[in-house]
């Protein structure tokens, strides 16, 4: 029996002890005396969320295939355990070995959203590892970050030794080899980091200097040493079908957010919505071939016993072999009682047909993401979805027996007017009208409901909107009230629902998304003031953030409410995502004129990602 | 075909709750490739039912579930198939076929026996062991039972079918199931009070040995309702 890091007393007094005991089916135990490198992968949020993340499962599997490395996992202790660990000075430990993280060689942290930044500090601090990179010595774990937020890693620059920019499957091997040399020689940490910075895709923040202009913008950003590269080129896997994939993912004991087998069908998206960071940073779009996916579906289901399978992709409808793949899964559903869940599908005849087979229509709802209320604004954001498309989809859905529709919108988009947001209520009303006009009374089963929800637009690095300003939380709330009122005035208002997001958290997300190194101290102080789990409404405390910002004389408006000039040096400019700055500028200009840009399959717009030599850019 | 499967839940699995163990087995059965029956409809689920839930922190060698199967092989093969795809702290130890109209495991349960061992050989432990026979002499043992809203008195003496000391451990056979269910922690708490020792759940280890049904006045392990095949 593996000895647990926490005593029975502690495990019995906290919520869900299963979060901390490891031992799940398919988790990997190795003989630690036979490995050279101890790696721990961390998702800095609660177990149930962290365990649902595909990226960690991919890397966990990849590292554990190496004989010299044992990769384990750790997640953020929930506040109940956090408190006990502080009181009793219990060091944070990895799930598999139950051994303290401070004895590991690497701690790899995946950074998926901005509001987990304080949780990163929590993990380091509970692990009793110095929180700032400059305070860590040779012998302390190397802290390496990955994931979408590393496309602007600057607000976290002080806390990480290395950021891995791009897809994890490419250069970790090189880093581990280099690390082994470092570990077994008298190489200093600085020498190690300088060598690491020469591996493509690895960014070592302490090797770079920034100076600022008087107005607060960046004057200059560059490496301190000759041999350290100026630009970091993101890592991409070009042959997605050949790359390793976890066909034995860990099966949690407790129910987690994504409690199913996940098939990654594509990376990237051809669409080029101008607000979407994923749509830019994962270019070019690459797909896995359908035979490989069928094989993985089979082996994952056998190896996990999962009852449900789903896809991972930004836009599943753009996967060219979708019909073949769904056929194969439908057949499994027939014979092996597998449930299928299909996210990110465009609503059309094909998807409705599939969904009719896999869902209980009465219980399920259909989702559309028009994102904006008028065609004008949808053109601005390059959301290639027209009102006709939505109406056509909704009509077919109603005829197919559905009567619940969900609509996603954003508010605070560049150039947005009150007329645009009034459109949110209009389009919702028109959809309900469609129902009453086309579905005869005798066929109506239950009441039609159209649920619209609006989120608060956050401009993200490496999108055409990276120069755009955000609206203030007050303005957002005002607009939300306005829309709510419009809904109330509609004839079918009883069939319509409107909800909107919490503005206070989102504005901080906006701050961190496009922040620079000066925010490190703010994050540090916020954490020191006791703040963790910012992404959770019940734990988020606006005042703590406001106080820390005030203390460091940081104006939130400088980062959020300011429209940047296109020649300003942005904190993330040292990263090369393949998509060129010229393309983004052009897209920003076209947005303001409301000109749409075709998707990669309609016509290549020469964004620059073709330089990686594959994917959709080279499809016949 | 209706099968009854007996398993052990050991070691660190004591921190996995009853509902999660049920979910665990649903997956283990699929991994093992056993042909369990499913309900019809949109989200089909396995036809399976578990007996006598075990509280968190307690281990067991006498856990059971019943399942309806479309196809079976042999008892031995099915046990092996399950254990081949199991975590180490779950072990399937028995698999029998039930007669057509057998009561399900949940409603058959009448009693279970437990072993309580102690982490230290202290004076208090010895005091506790020494007071067992005196404890049992009482006609009624009244405890305060807390439910969500209120507290009420309850005489637990009738629920203690047997209780004895062997090799510095306490063994007890307690009424279990839907008609009357007595938890071993409650008995230990009452015993501590009787002996004048402070109750500490963490200084002892409770282990369930077996779960029983009643047939013609006799208690039989649950698996004896069926036969190996
Ligand atoms: S180079 Fe062309 S095809 Fe390739 S990602 Fe860019 S726009 Fe799309």
């Amino acid at each position: 029996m593996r000895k647990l890091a926490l005593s029975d007393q502690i495990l019995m007094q906290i919520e869900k002890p299963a979060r901390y005991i490891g031992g799940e089916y398919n988790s990997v135990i190795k003989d630690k005396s036979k490995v050279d490198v101890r790696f721990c992968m961390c998702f800095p949020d609660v177990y149930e969320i962290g365990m649902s993340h595909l990226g960690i499962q991919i890397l966990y599997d990849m590292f554990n295939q190496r004989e010299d490395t044992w990769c384990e996992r750790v997640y953020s202790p929930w506040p109940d355990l956090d408190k006990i660990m502080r009181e009793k000075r219990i060091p944070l430990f990895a799930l598999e070995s139950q051994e303290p993280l401070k004895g590991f060689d690497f701690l790899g942290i995946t950074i998926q959203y901005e509001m987990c930044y304080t949780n990163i500090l929590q993990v380091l601090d509970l692990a009793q590892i110095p929180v700032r990179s400059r305070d860590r010595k040779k012998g302390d774990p190397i802290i390496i970050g990955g994931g979408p937020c590393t496309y602007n890693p600057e607000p976290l620059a002080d806390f990480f030794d290395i950021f891995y920019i791009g897809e994890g499957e490419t250069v970790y091997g090189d880093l581990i080899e280099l690390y082994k040399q470092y570990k077994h020689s008298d190489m200093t940490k600085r020498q190690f980091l300088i060598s690491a910075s020469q591996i493509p895709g690895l960014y070592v923040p302490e090797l770079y200097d920034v100076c600022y202009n008087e107005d607060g913008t960046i004057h200059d950003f560059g490496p301190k040493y000759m041999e350290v590269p100026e630009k970091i080129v993101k890592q991409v896997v070009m042959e997605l079908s050949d790359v390793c994939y976890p066909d034995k993912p860990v099966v949690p004991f407790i129910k987690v957010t994504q409690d199913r087998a996940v098939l990654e069908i594509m990376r990237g998206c051809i669409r080029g919505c101008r607000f979407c960071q994923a749509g830019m940073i994962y270019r070019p779009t690459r797909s896995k071939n359908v035979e490989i996916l069928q094989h993985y579906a089979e082996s994952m289901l056998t190896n996990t016993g999962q009852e449900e399978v789903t896809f991972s992709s930004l836009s599943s409808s753009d996967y060219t072999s979708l019909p073949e793949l769904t056929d194969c899964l439908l057949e499994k559903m027939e014979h092996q009682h597998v449930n299928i869940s299909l996210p990110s599908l465009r609503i059309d005849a094909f998807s409705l047909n599939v969904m009719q087979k896999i869902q209980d229509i009465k219980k399920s709802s259909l989702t559309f993401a028009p994102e904006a209320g008028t065609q004008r604004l949808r053109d601005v954001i390059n959301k290639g979805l027209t009102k006709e498309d939505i109406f056509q989809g909704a009509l077919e859905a109603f005829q197919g027996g559905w009567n619940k529709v969900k609509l996603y919108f954003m508010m605070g988009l560049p150039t947005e007017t009150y007329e645009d947001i009034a459109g949110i209520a209009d389009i919702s009303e028109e959809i309900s009208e469609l129902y009453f006009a086309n579905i005869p009374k005798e066929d109506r089963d239950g009441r039609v409901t159209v649920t619209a929800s609006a989120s608060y637009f956050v401009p993200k690095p490496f999108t055409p909107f990276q120069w755009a300003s955000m609206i203030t939380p007050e303005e957002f709330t005002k607009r939300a009230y306005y829309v709510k009122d419009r809904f109330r005035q509609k004839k079918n208002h009883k069939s319509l629902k409107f909800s909107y997001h919490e503005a206070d958290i989102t504005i901080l997300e906006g701050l961190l998304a496009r922040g620079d190194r000066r925010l490190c101290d703010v994050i540090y102080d916020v954490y020191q003031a006791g703040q963790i789990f910012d992404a959770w409404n019940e734990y988020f405390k606006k005042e703590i953030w406001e106080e820390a910002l005030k203390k460091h004389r940081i104006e939130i408006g400088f980062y959020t409410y300011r429209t940047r000039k296109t020649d300003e040096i942005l904190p993330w400019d040292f990263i090369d995502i393949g998509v060129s700055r010229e393309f983004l500028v052009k897209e920003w200009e076209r947005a303001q004129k409301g000109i749409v840009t075709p998707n990669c399959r309609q016509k290549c717009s020469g964004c620059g990602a073709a330089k990686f030599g594959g994917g959709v850019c080279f499809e016949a | 075909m209706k099968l009854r499967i007996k398993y052990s839940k050991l070691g660190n699995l004591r921190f996995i709750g009853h509902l999660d163990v049920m979910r665990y087995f649903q997956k283990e059965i699929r991994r093992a490739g056993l042909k369990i029956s499913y309900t019809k409809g949109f989200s089909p689920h396995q036809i399976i039912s578990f007996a006598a839930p075990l509280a968190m922190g307690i281990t067991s060698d006498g856990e059971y579930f019943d399942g309806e199967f479309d196809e079976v092989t042999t008892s031995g093969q099915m046990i092996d198939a399950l254990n081949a795809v199991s975590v180490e702290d779950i072990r399937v130890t028995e698999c029998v076929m039930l007669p057509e109209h057998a009561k399900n495991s949940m409603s058959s349960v009448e009693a279970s026996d437990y072993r309580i061992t102690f982490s230290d050989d202290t004076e208090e432990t010895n005091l506790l062991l020494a007071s067992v026979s005196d404890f049992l002499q009482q006609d009624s043992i009244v405890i305060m039972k807390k439910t969500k809203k209120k507290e009420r008195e309850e005489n637990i003496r009738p629920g203690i079918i047997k209780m004895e000391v062997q090799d510095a451990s306490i063994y007890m056979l307690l009424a279990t199931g839907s008609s009357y269910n007595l938890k071993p922690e409650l008995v230990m708490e009452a015993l501590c009070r009787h002996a004048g020792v402070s109750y500490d759940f963490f200084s002892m280890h409770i282990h369930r040995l077996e779960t029983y049904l009643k047939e013609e006045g006799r208690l039989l392990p649950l698996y004896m309702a069926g036969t190996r095949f």
Side-chain angles (χ1 to χ4, degrees):
Chain A
M1 185 170 93
R2 287 174 321 121
K3 185 156 169 25
L4 299 179
L6 300 172
S7 68
D8 283 31
Q9 278 95 322
I10 295 175
L11 287 165
M12 296 282 289
Q13 88 190 67
I14 56 177
E15 233 179 87
K16 304 192 187 170
R19 288 168 173 164
Y20 312 106
I21 65 174
E24 305 95 327
Y25 192 70
N26 286 339
S27 58
V28 176
I29 297 289
K30 291 191 179 184
D31 178 348
K32 65 178 177 187
S33 67
K34 296 208 174 91
V35 295
D36 200 0
V37 177
R38 301 281 298 270
F39 200 111
C40 191
M41 283 301 304
C42 169
F43 190 109
D45 206 323
V46 72
Y47 178 90
E48 293 92 312
I49 293 186
M51 273 300 287
S52 306
H53 184 246
L54 177 63
I56 286 200
Q57 297 264 12
I58 293 179
L59 295 179
Y60 183 78
D61 178 63
M62 179 187 88
F63 283 124
N64 279 323
Q65 283 184 20
R66 292 181 67 102
E67 258 178 39
D68 60 356
T69 306
W70 181 12
C71 181
E72 308 185 37
R73 293 160 300 143
V74 68
Y75 304 97
S76 303
W78 192 244
D80 58 350
L81 178 62
D82 175 277
K83 187 161 169 276
I84 296 172
M85 292 179 79
R86 280 169 209 278
E87 277 165 17
K88 300 198 189 296
R89 299 274 311 146
I90 300 169
L92 186 58
F93 52 90
L95 293 184
E96 281 76 0
S97 66
Q98 297 275 310
E99 291 180 347
L101 297 181
K102 58 183 169 189
F104 276 62
D105 297 294
F106 283 94
L107 176 62
I109 303 177
T110 180
I111 319 169
Q112 295 289 319
Y113 31 85
E114 290 80 6
M115 297 321 285
C116 74
Y117 289 1
T118 49
N119 278 36
I120 295 173
L121 272 59
Q122 176 213 22
V123 166
L124 293 173
D125 194 22
L126 285 181
Q128 300 170 8
I129 296 169
V131 166
R132 288 194 169 97
S133 147
R134 60 167 180 266
D135 299 324
R136 291 190 291 265
K137 299 184 184 58
K138 181 163 183 171
D140 286 323
I142 298 292
I143 311 298
I144 181 164
C149 291
T150 60
Y151 286 89
N152 176 22
E154 288 299 278
L156 295 170
D158 283 1
F159 314 117
F160 283 82
D161 300 305
I162 307 173
F163 288 102
Y164 186 123
I165 315 287
E167 294 167 356
E169 292 101 336
T170 59
V171 296
Y172 261 123
D174 299 344
L175 179 63
I176 287 188
E177 292 306 330
L178 174 68
Y179 177 81
K180 289 198 293 189
Q181 281 175 35
Y182 160 61
K183 185 178 178 181
H184 302 294
S185 71
D186 53 10
M187 199 192 284
T188 64
K189 186 177 168 192
R190 179 52 67 92
Q191 286 166 333
F192 164 70
L193 288 176
I194 291 178
S195 302
S197 78
Q198 291 163 44
I199 298 175
L202 300 190
Y203 168 56
V204 179
E206 67 172 61
L207 302 180
Y208 295 77
D209 266 333
V210 198
C211 32
Y212 300 93
N213 295 313
E214 244 166 54
D215 65 1
T217 55
I218 295 175
H219 177 72
D220 201 17
F221 182 105
K224 294 180 189 167
Y225 304 92
M226 291 279 289
E227 58 270 53
V228 176
E230 257 171 60
K231 280 258 174 190
I232 311 291
V233 182
K234 78 156 182 210
Q235 290 299 297
V236 272
V237 172
M238 290 322 293
E239 289 307 326
L240 213 53
S241 300
D242 302 343
V243 82
C244 67
Y245 193 72
D247 67 346
K248 291 189 185 67
V250 176
V251 187
F253 286 114
I254 55 176
K255 204 161 171 41
V256 297
T257 319
Q258 177 93 276
D259 201 11
R260 42 186 84 86
V262 182
L263 274 183
E264 186 190 35
I265 61 176
M266 277 195 301
R267 281 188 198 169
C269 177
I270 59 169
R271 306 251 145 210
C273 298
R274 292 179 179 131
F275 54 85
C276 178
Q277 189 187 37
M280 294 294 153
I281 60 179
Y282 301 128
R283 283 186 176 213
T285 305
R286 292 142 292 151
S287 314
K288 280 193 185 162
N289 79 40
V290 68
E291 290 81 34
I292 291 272
L293 289 172
Q294 288 168 339
H295 160 78
Y296 277 127
E298 182 69 49
S299 59
M300 286 176 89
L301 290 168
T302 316
N303 293 335
T304 59
Q306 290 285 14
E307 283 151 346
E308 191 167 309
V309 58
T310 190
F311 298 149
S312 162
S313 80
L314 292 164
S315 168
S316 304
S317 294
D318 294 325
Y319 180 62
T320 36
S321 312
L322 193 64
E324 271 169 273
L325 185 60
T326 43
D327 277 351
C328 147
L329 295 181
L330 285 169
E331 204 228 336
K332 289 204 183 313
M333 187 177 83
E334 281 285 290
H335 298 109
Q336 299 169 29
H337 307 281
V338 176
N339 298 327
I340 307 172
S341 84
L342 297 179
S344 62
L345 272 192
R346 199 166 44 241
I347 307 299
D348 55 18
F350 169 77
S351 62
L352 287 171
N353 182 352
V354 176
M355 280 188 267
Q356 251 162 352
K357 294 180 191 152
I358 64 175
Q359 316 178 321
D360 188 345
I361 296 172
K362 278 204 203 67
K363 287 189 198 134
S364 59
S365 58
L366 289 176
T367 305
F368 296 87
E371 310 291 3
T374 56
Q375 194 57 47
R376 186 199 74 78
L377 194 53
R378 282 193 293 276
D379 289 346
V380 169
I381 63 177
N382 206 40
K383 183 85 201 183
L385 184 69
T386 63
K387 200 171 181 175
E388 290 66 46
D389 296 335
I390 299 170
F391 287 178
Q392 176 69 27
L395 181 60
E396 282 175 26
F398 291 147
Q399 285 162 343
W402 276 273
N403 55 17
K404 291 190 203 70
V405 171
K406 276 193 202 152
L407 301 171
Y408 290 137
F409 295 94
M410 282 187 282
M411 286 197 307
L413 288 163
T415 78
E416 182 176 282
T417 64
Y418 277 78
E419 193 184 317
D420 293 316
I421 55 173
I424 295 175
D426 297 342
I427 205 168
S428 306
E429 168 83 351
E430 283 172 79
I431 289 175
S432 67
E433 274 299 310
L434 214 56
Y435 182 84
F436 294 117
N438 291 285
I439 307 299
K441 274 214 171 70
E442 58 277 17
D443 295 346
R444 293 182 199 164
D445 185 6
R447 132 171 265 135
V448 62
T449 48
V450 180
T451 311
S453 69
S455 62
Y456 181 178
F457 168 63
V458 177
K460 294 275 163 115
F462 292 112
T463 64
F465 290 165
Q466 64 178 350
W467 294 283
S469 62
M470 273 179 92
I471 57 172
T472 63
E474 295 73 34
E475 177 61 23
F476 176 80
T477 312
K478 200 172 125 202
R479 290 189 193 183
Y481 281 150
Y482 173 79
V483 176
K484 212 168 177 65
D485 206 49
R486 301 289 296 205
F487 268 96
R488 237 176 260 133
Q489 293 164 22
K490 294 292 179 197
K491 185 167 98 255
N492 300 336
H493 67 95
K494 287 206 173 111
S495 303
L496 311 178
K497 274 187 210 139
F498 174 67
S499 65
Y500 54 93
H501 282 203
E502 182 61 53
D504 287 336
I505 296 185
T506 312
I507 191 68
L508 287 167
E509 186 188 323
L511 167 75
L512 297 172
R514 290 185 297 167
D516 54 39
R517 287 184 178 201
R518 289 171 292 188
L519 297 183
C520 294
D521 289 335
V522 174
I523 297 168
Y524 184 81
D525 282 358
V526 168
Y527 169 71
Q528 288 300 341
Q531 188 55 33
I532 46 173
F533 286 97
D534 283 299
W536 298 70
N537 266 322
E538 65 264 44
Y539 291 107
F540 172 73
K541 287 188 212 81
K542 181 180 159 194
E543 312 77 59
I544 294 188
W545 281 91
E546 282 172 347
E547 224 164 274
L549 287 166
K550 208 159 107 201
K551 179 177 156 199
H552 295 281
R553 293 206 190 80
I554 296 219
E555 269 301 326
I556 199 162
F558 173 79
Y559 295 96
T560 50
Y561 314 139
R562 184 170 63 91
T563 306
R564 290 149 171 81
K565 295 207 189 71
T566 49
D567 59 3
E568 179 176 333
I569 299 176
L570 303 171
W572 51 91
D573 276 349
F574 67 92
I575 298 172
D576 174 2
I577 64 161
V579 175
S580 67
R581 191 181 178 104
E582 295 73 59
F583 175 77
L584 294 177
V585 172
K586 208 167 72 198
E587 281 294 285
W588 177 221
E589 287 163 1
R590 287 166 75 99
Q592 287 165 63
K593 294 187 201 134
I595 308 172
V596 258
T597 297
N599 74 45
C600 297
R601 287 216 180 96
Q602 289 165 329
K603 181 176 172 292
C604 168
S605 305
C607 76
K611 77 171 187 186
F612 295 114
V616 68
C617 324
F618 294 85
E619 267 172 21
Chain B
M1 286 154 277
K2 201 169 175 189
L3 305 189
R4 176 160 296 168
I5 287 167
K6 178 182 182 183
Y7 65 96
S8 298
K9 181 189 177 202
L10 305 168
N12 296 336
L13 261 284
R14 69 188 182 282
F15 297 113
I16 305 298
H18 184 66
L19 284 174
D20 293 324
V21 172
M22 289 165 57
R23 287 171 8 91
Y24 170 84
F25 266 109
Q26 284 160 14
K27 295 189 171 110
E28 179 171 306
I29 289 167
R30 296 178 65 100
R31 288 198 292 268
L34 303 187
K35 300 275 182 279
I36 191 151
S37 316
Y38 284 81
T39 58
K40 304 274 175 278
F42 268 105
S43 45
H45 51 266
Q46 299 177 352
I47 304 175
I48 186 170
S49 77
F50 283 73
L54 195 66
M56 232 8 142
I58 300 181
T59 55
S60 173
D61 277 313
E63 297 303 286
Y64 288 92
F65 67 85
D66 292 350
E68 187 72 42
F69 285 79
D70 294 339
E71 274 172 46
V72 299
T73 50
T74 66
S75 299
Q77 276 171 14
M78 290 181 84
I79 293 172
D80 291 346
L82 287 166
N83 286 334
V85 292
S86 179
V87 295
E88 68 175 331
D89 289 330
I90 293 266
R91 289 285 104 183
V92 169
T93 52
E94 195 52 88
C95 172
V96 295
M97 193 170 307
L98 295 172
E100 187 108 13
H101 299 295
K103 267 206 216 165
N104 74 27
S105 54
M106 191 60 129
S107 54
S108 332
V109 174
E110 287 285 343
S112 355
D113 56 6
Y114 300 90
R115 181 186 65 218
I116 291 96
T117 47
F118 299 89
S119 29
D120 319 291
D121 175 22
T122 60
E123 211 172 297
E124 293 192 329
T125 308
N126 291 328
L127 205 59
L128 214 53
L129 295 173
S131 58
V132 168
S133 58
D134 187 48
F135 177 70
L136 281 179
Q137 298 290 302
Q138 308 174 87
D139 293 332
S140 83
I141 301 173
V142 178
I143 61 152
M144 293 302 287
K145 205 166 185 177
K146 280 184 218 101
T147 51
K148 278 202 185 82
K149 287 202 186 84
K150 47 187 178 227
E151 269 189 300
R152 60 182 170 83
E153 286 190 349
E154 187 178 309
N155 176 16
I156 59 168
R157 183 63 188 84
I160 307 175
I161 304 166
K162 222 166 117 184
M163 187 166 171
E164 62 190 19
V165 175
Q166 257 182 51
D167 302 330
S169 301
I170 295 175
Y171 288 80
M172 52 173 104
L173 181 64
L174 305 179
T176 310
S178 42
S179 47
Y180 184 63
N181 194 55
L182 180 55
K183 290 183 177 163
E185 311 92 279
L186 283 180
V187 179
M188 287 310 294
E189 207 177 327
L191 177 66
C192 287
R193 196 154 24 83
H194 184 75
V197 169
S198 66
Y199 170 71
D200 175 12
F201 178 82
F202 302 106
S203 67
M204 56 187 103
H205 173 201
I206 305 179
H207 181 75
R208 184 189 268 170
L209 295 162
E210 183 58 279
T211 309
Y212 300 92
L213 53 79
K214 207 175 220 162
E215 206 181 82
E216 291 161 4
R218 280 188 315 150
L219 287 176
L220 297 175
L222 235 51
Y223 69 86
M224 292 188 54
T227 42
R228 278 200 152 222
F229 53 95

